């Protein structure tokens, strides 16, 4: 990847990483075909629902502690903002941080603005955010409406930045520009890299950037075992903290899908090494992750002692959990790399992996690093996954897949799929706070939660007996869950 911060917009994943949104086959086949980028983005002729890049940009910027966000859009595109007030309160308590306000204003583009332009509304909204919240930076989210009418947000942001004396950061996350909503993560990081991050004043050799969502503090205790500190980014951090991420010893993340773009960019522009190992989910991958960080921080000896000590410490509890879960199987449905991580943990717990569905698939990584291709890493250590699909969160497809396989347990990353599992009578675990699975204790915690879920199966089965599906008999009787691939119509 060649970083181009002169360009206001990040290159979308379809072009940069050759990402796809639909596939069914095996993990080995997908991995081999991805090496030649031979799979087209394709898609389905019918989609029941869809996410948007703007949602991913929200998750990056809405909870930056002393910033404000102006969403240059119709008011409906800003509707999820209210949920961040509750979310912010909960996650700050969990992290032991003081409460924070979520500072969001919508420019409220209306029909006439899509004809005459909406820049006056944008200026008014930025002035309102500045006067009301006194932020250290203002992020401006574009939207489909602003993108279609062609509002020059970048020039307007530059002018407002000169006028107000704080960074005004455009985030180009229009939903229609990319079929891969994770492009919104990249758009958020691209804006931060362009206008917030500064060259390092002094390197901190014990500070490790951890790009995450607003999860629990689990990476801190793990890094403390080898004398290092976690620098959690981006949600819940201040603008000042973001500006100094170039001073860290290296950059790691919870998920390659989330943050290889920003981690690789920091290495390319400021020489902050990107940790070139899978995220620490599962025992072997946690070993690799600690050794890789130790290499950059000269903590190799401490890392080896910590790894040996942690293996010994968790073994009795791990054996108990494995016995409780013996003979059970599991299906994983989550974002691209995080699904591979959870599948890896399922193997540590001696669960039989029935299959995996990811929400999209990147056929390359930023920097083309084999060590960060988590599907490739999984296959090398665990072997093939015989039932592997890519599905951009289409419930009508997942109903048929899960009905056919009917696993003992389902692990999902998104709340709406938890409901789907329950309706099918499958005990389901939601991975809302990704961080809690990190490290050696994360394996134990996941095992305990899965066992607790198993104990609810009678109640879940009773619920499933009273479910009425919204699908026609034709679809419910259709044997092929992938019927709408390749342009087929109903």
């Amino acid at each position: 990847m060649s970083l181009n911060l002169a360009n206001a917009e990040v290159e979308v994943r379809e072009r940069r990483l050759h990402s796809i949104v639909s596939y069914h086959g095996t993990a080995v086949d997908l991995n081999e075909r991805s090496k030649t980028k031979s799979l087209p983005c394709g898609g389905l002729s019918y989609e029941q629902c869809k996410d948007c890049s703007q949602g991913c940009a929200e998750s990056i910027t809405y909870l930056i502690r002393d910033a404000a966000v102006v969403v240059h859009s119709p008011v409906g595109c800003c509707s999820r903002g209210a949920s961040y007030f509750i979310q912010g309160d909960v996650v700050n308590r969990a992290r032991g941080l003081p409460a924070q306000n979520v500072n969001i204003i919508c420019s409220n583009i209306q029909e006439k603005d899509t004809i005459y332009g909406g820049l006056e509304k944008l200026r008014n909204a930025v002035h309102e955010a500045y006067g009301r919240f006194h932020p250290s930076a203002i992020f401006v989210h574009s939207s489909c409406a602003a993108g279609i009418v062609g509002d020059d947000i970048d020039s307007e942001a530059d002018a407002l930045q000169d006028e107000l004396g704080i960074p005004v950061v455009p985030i180009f996350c229009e939903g229609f520009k990319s079929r891969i909503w994770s492009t919104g993560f990249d758009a958020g990081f691209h804006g931060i890299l362009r206008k917030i991050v500064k060259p390092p004043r002094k390197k901190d050799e014990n500070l490790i950037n951890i790009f995450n969502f607003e999860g629990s503090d689990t990476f801190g205790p793990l890094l403390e075992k080898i004398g290092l500190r976690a620098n959690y980014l981006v949600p819940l951090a201040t603008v000042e903290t973001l500006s100094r991420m170039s001073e860290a010893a290296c950059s790691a993340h919870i998920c390659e899908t989330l943050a290889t773009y920003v981690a690789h960019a920091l290495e390319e522009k400021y020489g902050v090494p990107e940790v070139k190992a899978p995220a620490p989910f599962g025992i072997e991958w946690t070993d690799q992750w600690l050794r890789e960080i130790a290499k950059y921080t000269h903590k190799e000896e401490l890392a080896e002692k910590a790894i040996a000590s942690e293996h010994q410490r968790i073994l009795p509890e791990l054996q108990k959990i494995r016995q409780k879960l013996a003979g059970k199987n599991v299906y994983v449905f989550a974002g691209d790399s995080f699904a591979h991580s959870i599948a890896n943990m399922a193997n540590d717990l001696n669960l039989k992996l029935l299959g995996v569905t990811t929400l999209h698939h990147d056929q390359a990584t930023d920097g083309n690093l084999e060590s960060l291709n988590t599907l490739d890493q999984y296959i090398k250590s665990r072997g093939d996954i015989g039932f592997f699909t890519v599905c951009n969160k289409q419930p009508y497809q997942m109903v048929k897949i899960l009905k056919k396989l009917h696993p003992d347990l389902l692990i999902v990353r998104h709340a709406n799929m938890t409901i789907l599992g329950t309706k099918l009578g499958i005990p389901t675990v939601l991975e809302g706070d990704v961080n809690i699975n990190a490290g050696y204790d994360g394996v134990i915690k996941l095992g305990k939660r899965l066992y607790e879920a198993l104990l609810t199966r009678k109640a879940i089965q009773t619920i499933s007996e009273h479910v009425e599906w919204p699908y026609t008999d034709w679809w419910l009787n259709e044997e092929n869950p992938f019927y709408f691939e390749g342009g087929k119509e109903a």
Side-chain angles (χ1 to χ4, degrees), residues 26-35 361 373 375-376 379:
T26 69
V28 167
D29 176 66
L30 177 60
N31 192 44
E32 289 301 313
R33 295 171 73 181
S34 295
K35 289 176 182 174
H361 175 72
N373 177 349
L375 184 61
D376 191 63
I379 292 167

Side-chain angles (χ1 to χ4, degrees), residues 313-346:
R313 180 179 67 81
I314 67 166
L315 184 58
E317 196 72 32
L318 183 60
Q319 288 174 333
K320 288 181 189 174
I321 295 293
R322 283 172 169 170
Q323 287 173 3
K324 289 179 177 178
L325 296 176
K328 302 301 179 188
N329 57 53
V330 65
Y331 196 92
V332 176
F333 183 22
D336 188 15
S337 290
F338 187 64
H340 310 154
S341 295
I342 292 298
N344 187 49
M345 296 179 76

Side-chain angles (χ1 to χ4, degrees), residues 225-439:
K225 297 180 190 302
I226 57 173
L228 301 172
R229 309 188 322 277
N231 186 34
Y232 287 109
L233 300 167
V234 167
L236 312 188
T238 64
V239 173
E240 170 67 11
T241 301
L242 300 186
S243 74
R244 300 178 66 177
M245 66 172 76
S246 60
E247 298 178 2
C250 57
S251 297
H253 39 68
I254 58 165
C255 171
E256 287 70 13
T257 300
L258 172 67
T260 53
Y261 178 78
V262 64
H264 193 71
L266 282 174
E267 179 171 296
E268 189 171 305
K269 186 171 176 59
Y270 297 111
V272 182
E274 178 182 14
V275 173
K276 297 172 183 65
F281 297 109
I283 295 169
E284 183 185 341
W285 286 8
T286 301
D287 295 348
Q288 288 182 30
W289 189 81
L290 280 173
R291 288 185 175 121
E292 180 76 2
I293 289 176
K295 187 173 71 178
Y296 296 119
T297 54
H298 311 294
K299 305 281 187 182
E300 290 92 338
E301 191 174 335
L302 276 175
E304 292 305 324
K305 287 181 180 175
I307 289 168
S309 171
E310 289 297 285
H311 282 206
Q312 189 174 5
R313 180 179 67 81
I314 67 166
L315 184 58
E317 196 72 32
L318 183 60
Q319 288 174 333
K320 288 181 189 174
I321 295 293
R322 283 172 169 170
Q323 287 173 3
K324 289 179 177 178
L325 296 176
K328 302 301 179 188
N329 57 53
V330 65
Y331 196 92
V332 176
F333 183 22
D336 188 15
S337 290
F338 187 64
H340 310 154
S341 295
I342 292 298
N344 187 49
M345 296 179 76
N347 280 277
D348 278 342
L349 293 165
N350 274 355
L351 288 163
K352 181 183 178 185
L353 187 65
L354 275 191
V356 169
T357 296
T358 65
L359 304 182
H360 80 279
H361 175 72
D362 297 324
Q363 296 189 75
T365 62
D366 285 303
N368 289 316
L369 296 169
E370 188 176 310
S371 58
L372 289 177
N373 177 349
T374 46
L375 184 61
D376 191 63
Q377 294 296 313
Y378 179 93
I379 292 167
K380 283 176 179 173
S381 61
R382 306 290 192 181
D384 197 5
I385 301 171
F387 190 93
F388 197 105
T389 69
V390 179
C391 168
N392 57 350
K393 210 191 285 185
Q394 300 300 320
Y396 77 92
Q397 271 193 326
M398 293 311 301
V399 164
K400 299 189 76 68
I401 291 171
L402 293 171
K403 265 190 168 184
K404 182 178 180 181
L405 298 177
H406 207 84
D408 297 314
L409 287 159
L410 173 65
I411 304 176
V412 300
R413 173 73 181 97
H414 299 86
N416 55 340
M417 293 301 164
T418 312
I419 298 165
L420 194 64
T422 301
K423 285 183 172 179
L424 288 165
I426 305 168
T428 303
V429 168
L430 171 65
E431 294 300 301
D433 181 352
V434 170
N435 291 20
I436 62 174
N437 288 325

